[in-house]
Amino acid sequence: MATPATPPADPRALPTLAALLAGQAAGDIARDDDAAWQSVLQAGRFHGVLPLVHAGWVGADLRQATSPLFADGCAAEARRVAAMDLAQRQAIAQVLPVIAAAGGEPVLLKGSALAWTHYAAPSLRPRADIDVLIAPASRASVARALADAGLAAALQLPGEYVSSQATWTPATAGGSTQSFDVHWRINNAPVLARLLDHAEIVASALPLPALGPAARVPSSPHAVLIAALHRVGSRDSPYHAAGWSLAGGDRLIWLMDFLMLARGLDDAGRSATQALLATKGARALLSDAIAVLRALRPAWADEAAALLPSGAASDPRLDAYMAAAPARRRWLDFIALGNWAARVGYLAEQGFPPAAYLRARDPAHAHWPRPLLAARRLLARPGG
């Protein structure tokens, strides 16, 4: 069965989840309306907030405020994410030293970091893969080290310009797997990637001893900017979870990240965040997310707005990027590659990948000549 393009959720699902996250009973759905509560439960799984809902209602009667179906579903999802968290802890402790020994200077990113630094417990922040940023110059040595350690690389389009990350998967106890998304640039979009690099992040990265001596996370100001870059960079790349697929960058847990980041900053951290956003001209990246928060809960938007630099202008290139349609954003990213050598290289990598890649992705036609395989790929699945 094909994954639906958008979640077939009851229109009351998101407002209901937002109310429950704010500690308020949602009165728009009757307790015995199992079909509606099932839709809210499905939306909560996709948006990654059921463990937070469950934790927020500990000591209160979620079954009375919602329905037994929804409350039991929240508890089951909280248990599932707690098990996932334990598996990820083991995987991180095993793999980060391998990356560090290969000169990768790893830094955990996005949910993998925020779960430990800005949530009351890491099991409250679901995340699918473990995101790690490495020094770009270490890319080849890290790949060799991960392969030598028994991790398998996912098939992906190779190249210097078309790729900024690789997925590696080790086998863990019990046969479960925890995939690592190893990034050497902070974002796939060149317009966004130029705002922050590994050297800048690692210079102020903080240790995370609970996950071993090789574990580090970005400073809070960098974490705010990374969260904003991730959300904007996801607008054109659908996110798949709980059997659904949604583009737009507005998965609810990503918006909650901004709220947790804002709540976790003291005055000095808030000032440092405002200064960073002003220096990068990145005000628009965050203000766009705050506008979405405001539509859900105005009080949340007011909290997150404390991160914005007052009176700071945005970079006009970012403003244009935010306002552009998807096709225009792709063009702006192409131009942001910087010079025509890079642009020609990008086009060559997209249009004429190595024969080994083409044969691996299309084994049924592996006997075809490389030009025909390349043409088949572009015609069947552009960019694939």
Side-chain angles (χ1 to χ4, degrees):
M1 180 177 177
T3 301
T6 55
D10 188 300
R12 297 170 292 180
L14 271 181
T16 297
L17 289 169
L20 292 170
L21 286 166
Q24 299 174 0
D28 290 343
I29 304 176
R31 288 186 68 245
D32 61 356
D33 190 345
D34 282 352
W37 283 113
Q38 181 64 32
S39 184
V40 177
L41 187 64
Q42 289 176 324
R45 288 194 186 102
F46 174 82
H47 286 279
V49 295
L50 295 183
L52 273 179
V53 171
H54 180 261
W57 284 79
V58 169
D61 196 344
L62 186 59
R63 294 170 70 88
Q64 287 296 323
T66 59
S67 77
L69 180 150
F70 179 77
D72 292 347
C74 281
E77 182 67 1
R79 290 192 295 270
R80 185 195 71 80
V81 175
M84 174 276 300
D85 175 61
L86 289 175
Q88 287 202 355
R89 294 185 198 197
Q90 292 180 332
I92 289 170
Q94 292 168 358
V95 172
L96 283 196
V98 174
I99 296 175
E105 298 182 87
V107 181
L108 290 168
L109 293 179
K110 300 187 288 190
S112 302
L114 295 176
W116 284 89
T117 57
H118 286 83
Y119 284 79
S123 59
L124 299 182
R125 177 42 167 98
R127 57 270 184 204
D129 301 319
I130 301 164
D131 289 285
V132 182
L133 182 69
I134 63 170
S138 71
R139 179 178 167 187
S141 60
V142 166
R144 287 192 297 269
L146 291 175
D148 290 345
L151 283 81
L155 181 67
Q156 67 178 56
L157 184 63
E160 178 62 29
Y161 305 107
V162 299
S163 179
S164 64
Q165 66 188 75
T167 299
W168 291 84
T169 304
T172 57
S176 62
T177 57
Q178 297 297 326
S179 294
F180 285 77
D181 277 348
V182 179
H183 304 251
W184 46 93
R185 290 190 291 269
I186 198 63
N187 200 278
N188 287 324
V191 167
L192 303 177
R194 64 179 177 77
L195 290 178
L196 200 57
D197 62 20
H198 175 270
E200 185 175 355
I201 293 169
V202 79
S204 61
L206 306 172
L208 190 59
L211 294 179
R216 286 180 293 180
V217 295
S219 65
S220 288
H222 283 154
V224 171
L225 182 53
I226 291 167
L229 292 170
H230 172 59
R231 175 181 170 271
V232 173
S234 299
R235 291 196 303 178
D236 300 328
S237 301
Y239 187 87
H240 305 281
W244 290 351
S245 176
L246 184 69
D250 286 328
R251 193 165 176 251
L252 188 50
I253 192 63
W254 298 342
L255 297 170
M256 295 305 297
D257 287 343
F258 293 109
L259 195 61
M260 298 301 175
L261 282 159
R263 289 175 177 174
L265 290 177
D266 56 18
D267 289 343
R270 194 173 301 108
S271 296
T273 300
Q274 292 170 347
L276 176 69
L277 293 174
T279 300
K280 301 290 185 178
R283 179 186 175 91
L285 299 183
L286 187 56
S287 60
D288 184 74
I290 290 171
V292 179
L293 277 172
R294 190 169 302 282
L296 288 171
R297 308 288 298 182
W300 289 350
D302 291 340
E303 289 186 75
L307 300 172
L308 291 173
S310 58
S314 291
D315 185 327
R317 292 170 294 180
L318 287 178
D319 290 342
Y321 194 80
M322 294 292 292
R328 175 68 176 168
R329 285 196 292 272
R330 287 193 290 272
W331 171 252
L332 293 173
D333 279 325
F334 179 70
I335 295 300
L337 287 169
N339 57 63
W340 280 106
R343 294 166 193 157
V344 170
Y346 170 84
L347 293 174
E349 290 172 0
Q350 277 283 5
F352 207 57
Y357 165 79
L358 292 169
R359 293 184 177 118
R361 75 178 296 276
D362 193 2
H365 300 89
H367 59 285
W368 285 16
R370 181 185 177 194
L372 288 180
L373 284 171
R376 174 179 166 81
R377 167 185 162 269
L378 290 175
L379 289 172
R381 190 174 162 187

